[in-house]
Amino acid sequence: MSGSAVPEDFLFDPERLRRYVNGEDGKFDKIAANLPSNLVLRPLQLSDHSRSYMGLLAEHTKAPAVSFERFQERFNLMKAYGNIYYIIVIEDTSQNKIVATGTLEIEHKFIHSLSLRGRLEEIVVHQEDKDYRYTDGNLASIILEVLTTLGKVLGCYKITLESEDHLLDFYGKLGYKAEKGQNYMAVRYFD
Amino acid sequence: MSGSAVPEDFLFDPERLRRYVNGEDGKFDKIAANLPSNLVLRPLQLSDHSRSYMGLLAEHTKAPAVSFERFQERFNLMKAYGNIYYIIVIEDTSQNKIVATGTLEIEHKFIHSLSLRGRLEEIVVHQEDKDYRYTDGNLASIILEVLTTLGKVLGCYKITLESEDHLLDFYGKLGYKAEKGQNYMAVRYFD
């Protein structure tokens, strides 16, 4: 396999994820080593459609089940972009089930010297994990730390997210601060 | 020229912009007809590098000048994505200068039945236009109305933006509402 080839089933190359996040202090390997042996941290795979990936998203927001064919079409579109969508998951191999996920989306800019901006989206941890069933750590923190490091290494001048009120402290501990005078606004058309 | 070909210099096909925004009530044509004859509303062009496009962005945020070669590289990358970056401008042809701009970015989702989300970014109007030098209308409102309509027609389930406090009323009139319990947070690495 050449260095640039992405293994068939992955949204992006897992070796690239590991290398980027490892940086100087082997962060990725440390995190992986501290997970229980049945938990694997990796990029989204096409076959995660059968590991309740959509069901996990539905714990977070409106995410109706979709056929494998439609899932595959969207997956392949995201994959074809190559350097925009970084979706990671934690799989519980003992249950063949995705128990945590998060998305880093890269936005290409003209401002800030043609810089990149990162956005965190769809950070979801399976309900049962909120009771620390799987780990002494916190799967949400792991997802956040990996994606934030990835965005930094990719060259983002900033990474942003939208936080519900009750999560402000949680994100604050990971370096995310509310910025004075900035408001999130939306117009909605359908669910 | 085939229906799907994008004219050389444009980020995306101006005829597609017109057709999408016109929808049922000819909105694009009405807006264009109401602009002074020296103002043209259209997609970003590569040659806008020489029409102070970067200078206009610098009125809004940190946007240092970049060489044509670097601008072209980023422009071509955005164009290659095909259906993510919709940047529009208003050119003052009498001055060969861009006087207003806005970006609609399309985000592809698995949630909401594989839906799309729109984001408005870099809405900037040249300082002089804030005194209504060019038009009885408001160039910012025009940019907003065109991009919001475009996002809706493209199928976004919602369109969002980050608003400074003093612009809350302005965006509110265009249908954007602050959502209860949602906070914008950022971690910053460099300018």
Side-chain angles (χ1 to χ4, degrees):
Chain A
M1 189 176 73
S2 87
S4 64
V6 178
E8 187 85 28
D9 188 38
F10 288 95
L11 186 62
F12 64 102
D13 189 343
E15 184 48 34
R16 193 158 50 128
L17 174 66
R18 179 179 172 274
R19 197 170 60 240
Y20 284 169
V21 176
N22 261 343
E24 291 174 6
D25 61 354
K27 187 179 279 186
F28 188 90
D29 289 341
K30 281 182 195 165
I31 288 172
N34 282 329
L35 282 172
S37 63
N38 60 317
L39 295 188
V40 177
L41 173 63
R42 57 166 174 77
L44 180 71
Q45 289 183 275
L46 184 55
S47 50
D48 290 336
H49 181 267
S50 67
R51 295 187 189 95
S52 294
Y53 175 67
M54 293 299 301
L56 178 63
L57 293 179
E59 292 183 20
H60 167 65
T61 188
K62 294 189 180 166
V66 296
S67 69
F68 176 75
E69 288 69 25
R70 291 192 65 221
F71 183 82
Q72 183 174 34
E73 192 179 353
R74 176 55 48 95
F75 181 96
N76 286 340
L77 180 68
M78 288 179 171
K79 185 170 177 172
Y81 288 131
N83 53 359
I84 292 190
Y85 295 102
Y86 294 89
I87 304 179
I88 62 171
V89 299
I90 296 176
E91 177 188 350
D92 182 339
T93 56
S94 69
Q95 296 198 61
N96 197 34
K97 188 173 164 183
I98 304 302
V99 293
T101 186
T103 298
L104 169 71
E105 192 195 357
I106 300 292
E107 188 176 317
H108 295 77
K109 295 290 201 185
F110 283 110
I111 62 173
H112 293 266
S113 303
L114 311 183
S115 192
L116 304 177
R117 170 182 181 167
R119 298 196 186 259
L120 299 189
E121 295 278 314
E122 276 81 74
I123 310 292
V124 195
V125 175
H126 183 46
Q127 288 296 333
E128 294 175 29
D129 290 294
K130 291 177 182 165
D131 306 324
Y132 302 97
R133 177 175 160 201
Y134 291 109
T135 168
D136 289 337
N138 181 314
L139 297 192
S141 297
I142 290 172
I143 294 286
L144 257 292
E145 189 176 359
V146 168
L147 292 181
T148 302
T149 304
L150 182 60
K152 185 180 179 185
V153 172
L154 290 172
C156 293
Y157 81 97
K158 71 175 177 183
I159 305 173
T160 65
L161 56 84
E162 290 124 29
S163 168
E164 294 171 48
D165 288 342
H166 69 278
L167 292 170
L168 282 170
D169 282 350
F170 170 71
Y171 288 119
K173 283 178 196 156
L174 293 155
Y176 290 84
K177 306 293 176 200
E179 303 208 332
K180 195 167 151 48
Q182 281 290 3
N183 305 275
Y184 165 85
M185 301 186 85
V187 56
R188 289 181 178 267
Y189 295 114
F190 61 90
D191 284 332
Chain B
M1 188 175 75
S2 86
S4 64
V6 179
E8 186 84 28
D9 188 40
F10 289 95
L11 185 64
F12 64 102
D13 190 341
E15 184 49 35
R16 194 159 49 130
L17 174 65
R18 179 179 172 274
R19 197 170 62 240
Y20 284 169
V21 177
N22 261 343
E24 290 175 8
D25 60 355
K27 187 179 279 186
F28 189 91
D29 289 340
K30 281 181 194 164
I31 288 171
N34 283 329
L35 283 171
S37 62
N38 59 317
L39 295 188
V40 177
L41 173 64
R42 57 167 174 76
L44 181 70
Q45 289 183 274
L46 183 56
S47 51
D48 290 336
H49 182 268
S50 68
R51 294 188 190 96
S52 294
Y53 174 66
M54 292 301 299
L56 178 64
L57 292 178
E59 292 183 20
H60 167 65
T61 188
K62 294 191 180 163
V66 296
S67 69
F68 176 76
E69 288 68 27
R70 290 191 66 218
F71 183 83
Q72 183 174 33
E73 193 179 350
R74 177 55 47 98
F75 181 96
N76 286 341
L77 180 67
M78 288 179 173
K79 185 168 175 170
Y81 289 131
N83 53 359
I84 291 190
Y85 295 103
Y86 294 89
I87 304 179
I88 62 170
V89 299
I90 296 176
E91 177 189 350
D92 182 340
T93 56
S94 70
Q95 296 196 61
N96 197 34
K97 189 173 164 182
I98 304 303
V99 294
T101 186
T103 297
L104 169 70
E105 192 193 358
I106 300 293
E107 188 177 318
H108 295 76
K109 296 289 203 185
F110 283 111
I111 62 173
H112 292 266
S113 304
L114 311 184
S115 192
L116 305 176
R117 171 182 181 167
R119 298 199 186 255
L120 299 188
E121 293 279 314
E122 276 80 75
I123 309 293
V124 195
V125 175
H126 182 45
Q127 288 296 333
E128 295 177 28
D129 289 295
K130 292 179 182 165
D131 305 323
Y132 303 98
R133 176 175 161 202
Y134 290 110
T135 168
D136 289 337
N138 181 314
L139 297 192
S141 297
I142 290 171
I143 294 286
L144 258 291
E145 189 176 0
V146 168
L147 291 181
T148 303
T149 304
L150 182 60
K152 184 179 177 184
V153 172
L154 290 172
C156 293
Y157 81 97
K158 72 176 176 182
I159 304 174
T160 66
L161 56 84
E162 290 125 29
S163 168
E164 294 172 48
D165 288 343
H166 68 279
L167 292 170
L168 283 169
D169 282 351
F170 170 72
Y171 288 119
K173 283 177 194 156
L174 292 155
Y176 290 84
K177 306 292 175 202
E179 302 207 331
K180 195 167 151 50
Q182 281 290 2
N183 305 275
Y184 164 86
M185 301 187 85
V187 56
R188 289 179 178 269
Y189 295 113
F190 62 90
D191 283 334

